[in-house]
Amino acid sequence: MAAKYIIASLAGSFAIAYVSDLLVSDSKIFGGTTPSTVSNKGWWEETDKKFQAWPRTAGPPVVMNPISRQNFIVKSGSES
């Protein structure tokens, strides 16, 4: 008996949260606009190029084996 009230209240909570998010972020009921850094695809591509161009400061890439908790250094074909 109590389960139906719990499920109904959870569903109602999710519906209210969804509508609130839609109104605040998409409809912008409090005003404002989407920043150009988010909506401008060219800006995003240039930023991604910059981040990809930064040198790695960490060690070589590793593959984690979650079963044995051992890390294995990944070697490319040219290194071996």
Side-chain angles (χ1 to χ4, degrees):
M1 184 79 125
K4 70 177 181 180
Y5 293 115
I6 293 171
I7 292 171
S9 63
L10 281 174
S13 298
F14 281 117
I16 291 171
Y18 175 76
V19 170
S20 299
D21 179 59
L22 192 70
L23 287 173
V24 171
S25 60
D26 293 340
S27 300
K28 304 218 180 293
I29 60 170
F30 296 119
T33 59
T34 302
S36 64
T37 54
V38 174
S39 60
N40 187 348
K41 187 172 174 91
W43 183 91
W44 180 258
E45 289 170 355
E46 290 298 320
T47 304
D48 191 44
K49 282 182 199 174
K50 182 184 89 168
F51 283 129
Q52 296 300 325
W54 281 357
R56 285 182 49 104
T57 57
V62 296
V63 175
M64 180 72 174
N65 185 351
I67 295 172
S68 65
R69 301 277 183 196
Q70 293 177 351
N71 294 334
F72 299 97
I73 296 175
V74 178
K75 296 188 182 209
S76 65
S78 62
E79 291 181 31
S80 45

